[in-house]
Amino acid sequence: MRLGIDLDGVVADFNTGWIRRYNRDFGTQIPFDAVESWDGIPSLTHFRDMGEFWEWARDHDGHTLFRHLEPYPGAIEALERLSRRHDVVIVTTKPDWAIHDTFAWIARHRLPTREVHISDRKWEVPCDVYLDDAPHVLEGLRRRRPDTTVCRFVRPWNQPVTGVVDVHTWDEFEDVVRGLWSETHAL
Ligand SMILES: [Mg+2]
């Protein structure tokens, strides 16, 4: 099966990454788990809007913030196991200026993929199963790809979406994929 996997908030720990950097740059002590809503960043910082946040995120010692993110524990190991039987298709949304750092990150962490899509029109990438954390992405995939399995990686900044399967851990996602695989291969 083709597994459409998002990066930020799913494989890459975007919030810990930017908060660590912000605390260092500005002498603040924002806890790593402070983000509890999709648009929560400006309210935790001195940035007036996401435009100002992205302006800051764009240049960290000659690289973008995305280059410095850490993977969530166990995420890459789970992708490796999944890639033995399935195609891991990376489907991620990024600003234009983050494209090269995204490829660098995928290479540095040796993600087991041969296919990367950097797009905000994720539904255009055909997959059997999708895994994402963004509320609007999950709704869009559910609506435009009705014949697929869409999974929400449950995070404090998202809520249940009708018709979307909730997964809390990578183990749970592997169970969902295994279940779908054995359904298709029953008989
Ligand atoms: Mg995401």
Side-chain angles (χ1 to χ4, degrees), residues 34-81:
V35 178
E36 289 181 342
S37 68
W38 182 251
D39 297 315
I41 292 179
S43 65
L44 295 168
T45 63
H46 71 284
F47 301 125
R48 281 169 298 182
D49 52 42
M50 283 307 285
E52 289 190 2
F53 171 83
W54 289 122
E55 213 37 58
W56 166 74
R58 187 174 179 154
D59 187 8
H60 291 329
D61 310 326
H63 290 296
T64 71
L65 171 69
F66 292 102
R67 181 90 154 223
H68 303 294
L69 303 182
E70 289 301 320
Y72 282 104
I76 292 179
E77 293 81 352
L79 288 175
E80 273 162 11
R81 285 191 295 274

Side-chain angles (χ1 to χ4, degrees), residues 4-176:
I5 308 291
D6 175 36
L7 288 183
D8 299 310
V10 170
V11 181
D13 189 348
F14 179 77
N15 284 325
T16 299
W18 79 256
I19 291 171
R20 178 178 290 122
R21 190 76 194 201
Y22 187 91
N23 285 341
R24 202 165 85 197
D25 282 8
F26 300 107
T28 47
Q29 293 184 327
I30 303 173
F32 294 143
D33 61 356
V35 178
E36 289 181 342
S37 68
W38 182 251
D39 297 315
I41 292 179
S43 65
L44 295 168
T45 63
H46 71 284
F47 301 125
R48 281 169 298 182
D49 52 42
M50 283 307 285
E52 289 190 2
F53 171 83
W54 289 122
E55 213 37 58
W56 166 74
R58 187 174 179 154
D59 187 8
H60 291 329
D61 310 326
H63 290 296
T64 71
L65 171 69
F66 292 102
R67 181 90 154 223
H68 303 294
L69 303 182
E70 289 301 320
Y72 282 104
I76 292 179
E77 293 81 352
L79 288 175
E80 273 162 11
R81 285 191 295 274
L82 288 162
S83 72
R84 287 179 206 145
R85 186 165 275 173
H86 306 287
D87 292 334
V88 171
V89 179
I90 299 299
V91 192
T92 182
T93 302
K94 290 286 196 295
D96 286 347
W97 45 260
I99 288 172
H100 295 102
D101 276 351
T102 300
F103 283 113
W105 195 88
I106 288 168
R108 175 170 158 226
H109 295 284
R110 304 184 77 84
L111 265 58
T113 183
R114 289 171 172 272
E115 193 177 331
V116 177
H117 299 263
I118 303 179
S119 168
D120 59 356
R121 301 163 68 87
K122 294 190 177 188
W123 64 87
E124 291 183 348
V125 182
C127 293
D128 301 291
V129 185
Y130 295 91
L131 178 61
D132 212 287
D133 67 313
H136 61 286
V137 170
L138 294 165
E139 282 160 20
L141 287 168
R142 183 62 300 152
R143 197 171 58 247
R144 292 165 187 265
R145 289 274 173 191
D147 299 333
T148 67
T149 299
V150 180
C151 298
R152 167 175 78 121
F153 212 118
V154 174
R155 300 293 189 196
W157 53 86
N158 60 30
Q159 287 82 39
V161 177
T162 307
V164 168
V165 178
D166 284 354
V167 302
H168 298 80
T169 62
W170 277 96
D171 282 349
E172 249 184 73
F173 181 66
E174 288 185 76
D175 285 345
V176 169

